[in-house]
């Protein structure tokens, strides 16, 4: 009997992890699908690249607003219900992006799309922690978290390939269809527990405000935003730089994106490394590795060193990302739900600046120099602005996994 129960739990773990991980991949990729399409938008809507870049930046701002919305409704409704309804609404919003006839409506639709898209990733983590058996939970959360970063590569590859094959509008039409499929599949998953609210509605907003009075936590929010800022800005800069420097060959851009995947998979080893070094030390080390990768790219104009440098940069960011999440969890104590909603909002505010930085800075070498300066300041802020004991870090890592954040 116990063996049958164990097999049933393992099967549920595999099925739910596959659905949540693949769902996170296709939803979070919306942030990145416009990176290869900026030139296309500029041509289709007869505008400048700087204006077309807002299609990516405005989405990130909408996502940031959506993260705060999740913090409000996530404690009031079943998580499984939020996932299904959110995916259906996201399907409609994505369809609207595809049929946009002007740059204004494209940008407006992308903002609404970002607000709705934020419902899935954060709720998926909480839902996983709520439903998957505790002994399988850390592995499930690791795979889902890895999907978030892999989406940065997948979204760019998918958009570039689809635009070359069927045109840019089909990028969004196909995603709209996939979200309906995932909504139907999610209906078949176990329901999460019913939420019981305690206290007045305004209590949640008071908790949001109290987070900014916790020593070190506001600094952690700012530091968290630098990770995705660097990731998005680097790939947006490569989108402008590679065709200009080496000719407009999509294969070269596609190879640059593919080689970044092994670096992203390092995030799966971050938990083990944090037990040895602590979250703060690993975060600083990860940013240091990224600075080395950016420096290599800044000092060369050859394709191969740029590719190597981009892999090193992504690898460092992949180590820094889960580390800063653990620091946020450690500093926020029992207010982790609100803290991670605010942190996610801060992350995507940083991401919104990435395409604009790449569009307005004169050259790719200058962009790399600016990003190195940003990461160096982040390293200093982490070193002197956040206090962490290694024992607390290990405990926070466990709490982070158990709570699904």
């Amino acid at each position: 009997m116990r063996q049958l129960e164990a097999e049933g739990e393992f099967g549920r773990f595999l099925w739910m992890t596959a659905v949540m991980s693949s769902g996170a991949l296709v939803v979070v990729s919306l942030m990145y699908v416009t990176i290869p399409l900026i030139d296309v938008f500029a041509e289709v809507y007869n505008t400048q690249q700087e204006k077309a870049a807002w299609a990516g930046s405005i989405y990130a701002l909408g996502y940031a607003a959506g993260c705060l919305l999740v913090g409000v409704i996530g404690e009031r409704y079943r998580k499984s219900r939020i996932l299904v309804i959110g995916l259906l609404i996201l399907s409609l919003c994505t369809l609207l992006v595809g049929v946009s006839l002007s740059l204004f409506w494209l940008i407006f639709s992308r903002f609404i799309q970002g607000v709705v898209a934020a419902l899935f990733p954060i709720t998926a983590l909480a839902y996983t922690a709520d439903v998957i058996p505790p002994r399988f939970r850390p592995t499930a959360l690791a795979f889902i978290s890895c999907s978030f970063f892999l989406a940065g590569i997948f979204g760019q590859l998918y958009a570039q390939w689809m635009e070359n094959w069927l045109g840019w509008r089909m990028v969004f039409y196909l995603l709209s269809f996939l979200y309906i499929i995932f909504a139907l599949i999610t209906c078949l998953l176990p329901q999460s527990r019913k939420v019981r609210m305690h206290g007045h509605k305004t209590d949640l907003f008071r908790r949001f405000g109290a987070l900014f009075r916790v020593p070190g936590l506001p600094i952690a929010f700012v530091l968290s935003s630098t990770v995705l800022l660097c990731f998005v800005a680097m790939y947006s800069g490569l989108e402008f730089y590679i065709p200009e420097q080496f000719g407009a060959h999509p294969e070269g851009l596609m190879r640059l994106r593919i080689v970044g995947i092994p670096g992203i998979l390092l995030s799966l080893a971050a938990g083990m490394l944090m037990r040895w070094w602590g979250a703060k030390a690993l975060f600083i080390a990860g940013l240091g590795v990224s600075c080395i990768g950016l420096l290599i790219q800044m000092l060369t104009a050859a394709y191969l060193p740029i590719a190597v440098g981009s892999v090193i940069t992504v690898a460092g960011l992949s180590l820094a990302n889960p580390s800063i999440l653990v620091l946020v969890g450690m500093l926020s104590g029992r207010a982790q739900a609100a803290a991670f909603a605010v942190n996610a909002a801060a992350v995507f505010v940083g991401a919104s600046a990435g395409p604009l930085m790449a569009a307005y800075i004169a050259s790719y070498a200058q962009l790399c120099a600016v990003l190195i300066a940003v990461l160096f300041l982040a390293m200093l802020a982490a070193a002197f602005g956040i206090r962490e004991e290694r024992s607390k870090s290990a405990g926070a890592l466990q709490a982070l996994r158990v709570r699904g954040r």
Side-chain angles (χ1 to χ4, degrees):
M1 182 66 70
R2 289 182 179 178
Q3 183 178 356
L4 291 175
E5 290 179 355
E7 290 176 355
E9 286 185 351
F10 184 69
R12 184 171 66 173
F13 152 70
L14 289 178
W15 168 238
M16 292 183 60
T17 301
V19 173
M20 291 295 103
S21 297
S22 55
L25 184 69
V26 296
V27 172
V28 178
S29 65
L30 280 173
M31 171 68 216
Y32 307 95
V33 293
T34 54
I35 292 178
L37 301 179
I38 292 176
D39 286 338
V40 178
F41 292 154
E43 181 179 350
V44 169
Y45 297 113
N46 192 26
T47 188
Q48 299 173 332
Q49 285 184 334
E50 292 83 354
K51 293 181 179 179
W54 274 101
S57 295
I58 201 67
Y59 175 90
L61 290 175
Y63 195 103
C67 290
L68 299 179
L69 176 63
V70 175
V72 175
I73 69 173
E75 297 189 14
R76 299 187 173 274
Y77 304 99
R78 286 185 187 270
K79 299 175 182 66
S80 50
R81 185 176 299 174
I82 294 174
L83 289 173
V84 173
I85 296 175
L87 284 167
L88 292 176
I89 298 175
L90 181 61
S91 175
L92 177 60
C93 295
T94 304
L95 182 64
L96 291 176
V97 174
V99 299
S100 298
L101 298 179
S102 67
L103 183 62
F104 170 80
W105 283 111
L106 174 72
I107 292 174
F108 177 78
S109 300
R110 282 283 287 171
F111 177 80
I112 301 301
Q113 186 186 46
V115 173
V116 178
L119 295 175
F120 186 90
I122 298 176
T123 307
L125 287 171
Y127 172 75
T128 300
D130 200 16
V131 178
I132 286 185
R135 60 177 175 151
F136 297 120
R137 198 173 296 158
T139 303
L141 293 174
F143 274 96
I144 296 172
S145 299
C146 186
S147 295
F148 293 163
F149 237 78
L150 280 174
I153 303 296
F154 171 79
Q156 296 179 70
L157 291 173
Y158 161 75
Q160 182 178 337
W161 176 74
M162 185 61 70
E163 194 278 327
N164 292 336
W165 185 34
L166 296 174
W168 74 268
R169 295 185 189 276
M170 188 57 67
V171 171
F172 300 98
Y173 294 159
L174 180 56
L175 285 175
S176 177
F177 174 73
L178 286 177
Y179 297 146
I180 294 177
I181 298 300
F182 272 102
L184 296 175
I185 294 174
T186 304
C187 289
L188 303 177
L189 296 178
Q191 283 197 347
S192 56
R193 59 183 173 84
K194 189 174 182 179
V195 179
R196 296 183 181 275
M197 287 300 300
H198 300 282
H200 195 269
K201 292 181 180 180
T202 57
D203 290 345
L204 181 64
F205 297 101
R206 293 195 188 101
R207 289 202 296 273
F208 277 129
L211 293 174
F212 292 91
R213 297 192 295 271
V214 177
L217 192 54
I219 295 176
F221 291 150
V222 175
L223 295 180
S224 197
S225 70
T226 63
V227 176
L228 207 56
L229 164 66
C230 182
F231 185 86
V232 174
M234 184 190 75
Y235 277 111
S236 297
L238 288 172
E239 182 69 27
F240 298 140
Y241 176 73
I242 294 299
E244 176 184 332
Q245 185 72 14
F246 301 102
H249 55 297
E251 295 80 7
L253 283 167
M254 191 168 291
R255 285 196 296 268
L256 273 178
R257 291 168 180 135
I258 292 174
V259 297
I261 294 176
I264 290 175
L265 294 178
L266 274 178
S267 61
L268 295 174
M272 179 181 62
L273 294 174
M274 272 185 271
R275 291 191 187 95
W276 293 344
W277 298 348
K280 177 179 169 179
L282 186 61
F283 176 74
I284 295 173
L287 294 190
V289 170
S290 296
C291 286
I292 294 173
L294 289 167
L295 184 63
I296 293 172
Q297 296 180 75
M298 184 182 73
L299 297 177
T300 185
Y303 180 86
L304 182 58
I306 288 176
V308 172
S310 69
V311 173
I312 295 173
T313 302
V314 169
L317 295 176
S318 297
L319 292 175
N321 187 55
S323 305
I324 193 62
L325 286 176
V326 169
L327 287 173
V328 170
M330 178 191 71
L331 294 169
S332 59
R334 295 183 179 180
Q336 287 186 1
F340 279 102
V342 174
N343 184 73
V347 166
F348 278 86
V349 167
S352 69
L356 298 178
M357 286 179 64
Y360 282 97
I361 293 178
S363 69
Y364 187 66
Q366 291 181 23
L367 175 63
C368 289
V370 171
L371 293 177
I372 289 172
V374 169
L375 294 183
F376 182 73
L377 291 174
M379 292 166 65
L380 291 178
F384 298 104
I386 295 179
R387 299 181 64 182
E388 176 226 25
E389 297 176 7
R390 185 168 303 188
S391 60
K392 289 184 179 180
S393 174
L397 176 62
Q398 182 63 27
L400 195 64
R401 288 172 169 172
V402 170
R403 290 176 179 266
R405 297 293 184 185

